[in-house]
């Protein structure tokens, strides 16, 4: 039997188990970003691999986000959604930041860590983000620190201080900051006249 939930359709078998889902396609999500990247410093393989991974991440966020927006998640599951969104979104931001930098500057290395990419962005600040550079770089650092809370077994440091690594420490404001950073970096890649494409990603990210 088929059902519709806001952004996608899904089908279940006789036992109520989901057997297939229809949502935003990979090409639909990948192409706008892919089409604005040059092969001056990025390889075609890098562009294909990274934009495909981004598209699959968008699909997963859309999938779990739709259940959240329908109000069918319990409070603990909503907290887990917030946590998953920040972790997945943080990886997406890292990839988008790499594409932003590598699309313009040859010295960015493929194995650069998130911290390295943020430092490189700070050094290129105005050339990359214009007058928004200070706010953007600060948000990127905050998201990196949030993503570092992935270690569930380490709730306190060696001095007994609370590290806030539990899933309950993630809230809706963290989700919004992560979403806005994703959209900002996509806008940076797409350049001018991007409203239609940005609406595409806004719809998928929801929140």
């Amino acid at each position: 039997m088929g059902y519709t939930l806001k952004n996608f359709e899904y089908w279940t078998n006789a036992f109520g188990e989901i057997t297939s889902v229809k949502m935003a396609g990979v090409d639909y999500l990948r192409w706008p970003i892919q089409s604005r990247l040059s092969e001056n410093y990025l390889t075609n393989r890098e562009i294909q691999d990274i934009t495909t991974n981004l598209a699959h991440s968008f699909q997963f966020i859309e999938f779990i986000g739709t259940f959240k927006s329908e109000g069918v998640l319990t409070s603990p599951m909503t907290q887990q959604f917030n946590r998953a969104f920040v972790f997945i979104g943080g990886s997406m931001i890292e990839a988008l930041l790499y594409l932003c930098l590598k699309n313009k500057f040859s010295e960015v290395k493929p194995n650069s860590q998130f911290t390295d990419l943020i430092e490189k962005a700070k050094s290129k600040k105005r050339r990359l983000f214009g007058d928004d550079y200070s706010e953007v770089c600060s948000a990127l650092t905050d998201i990196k620190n949030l993503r570092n809370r992935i270690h569930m077994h380490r709730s306190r440091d060696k001095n007994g201080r609370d590290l806030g690594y539990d899933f309950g420490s993630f809230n809706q404001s963290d989700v919004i900051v992560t979403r806005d950073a994703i959209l900002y970096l996509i806008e940076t890649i797409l350049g001018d006249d991007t409203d239609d494409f940005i609406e595409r990603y806004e719809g998928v990210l929801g929140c």
Side-chain angles (χ1 to χ4, degrees):
M1 182 177 293
Y3 300 88
T4 300
L5 266 180
K6 195 172 180 180
N7 295 327
F8 64 85
E9 298 174 348
Y10 68 95
W11 288 262
T12 64
N13 59 22
F15 301 100
E17 299 167 330
I18 294 177
T19 56
S20 62
V21 175
K22 180 181 179 182
M23 62 180 72
V26 170
D27 287 339
Y28 176 84
L29 295 166
R30 178 176 57 190
W31 181 81
I33 299 172
Q34 186 176 309
S35 66
R36 302 298 177 96
L37 299 171
S38 70
E39 293 182 33
N40 292 333
Y41 306 127
L42 286 160
T43 66
N44 180 264
R45 180 62 181 271
E46 276 185 306
I47 293 172
Q48 289 287 336
D49 288 351
I50 295 172
T51 55
T52 299
N53 283 332
L54 284 167
H56 288 310
S57 295
F58 273 119
Q59 286 181 321
F60 181 71
I61 285 175
E62 179 185 23
F63 179 74
I64 59 175
T66 298
F67 284 98
K68 179 187 178 185
S69 66
E70 290 288 324
V72 297
L73 297 182
T74 63
S75 179
M77 288 298 98
T78 298
Q79 292 285 1
Q80 289 286 15
F81 167 82
N82 294 342
R83 184 173 184 269
F85 191 103
V86 170
F87 289 160
I88 296 168
S91 294
M92 294 171 71
I93 289 165
E94 186 175 19
L96 288 164
L97 184 56
Y98 174 79
L99 292 176
C100 283
L101 287 162
K102 191 71 172 179
N103 201 39
K104 293 185 176 183
F105 310 110
S106 62
E107 68 269 25
V108 181
K109 298 178 180 178
N111 60 349
S112 297
Q113 300 294 313
F114 203 173
T115 300
D116 300 328
L117 293 171
I118 292 172
E119 290 306 310
K120 180 63 68 175
K122 288 179 179 178
S123 72
K124 304 294 185 183
K125 49 193 181 184
R126 290 192 185 278
R127 292 173 63 190
L128 191 64
F129 300 131
D131 292 338
D132 295 330
Y133 74 89
S134 179
E135 182 179 350
V136 174
C137 290
S138 176
L140 292 174
T141 300
D142 290 343
I143 292 165
K144 176 185 71 70
N145 292 335
L146 278 173
R147 198 185 68 164
N148 286 346
R149 294 182 184 177
I150 195 169
H151 308 289
M152 289 190 289
H153 68 290
R154 292 173 52 201
S155 61
R156 295 182 180 276
D157 66 12
K158 61 182 181 181
N159 297 315
R161 290 176 297 189
D162 185 6
L163 295 174
Y165 279 29
D166 63 298
F167 77 88
S169 64
F170 294 89
N171 54 49
Q172 182 65 14
S173 64
D174 299 325
V175 171
I176 297 300
V177 168
T178 304
R179 180 202 64 186
D180 289 349
I182 291 171
L183 293 173
Y184 183 89
L185 291 173
I186 290 175
E187 285 189 82
T188 300
I189 292 172
L190 296 182
D192 299 329
D193 302 321
T194 62
D195 288 349
D196 290 343
F197 291 136
I198 289 300
E199 287 180 8
R200 177 179 303 190
Y201 295 111
E202 286 176 340
V204 170
L205 290 174
C207 306

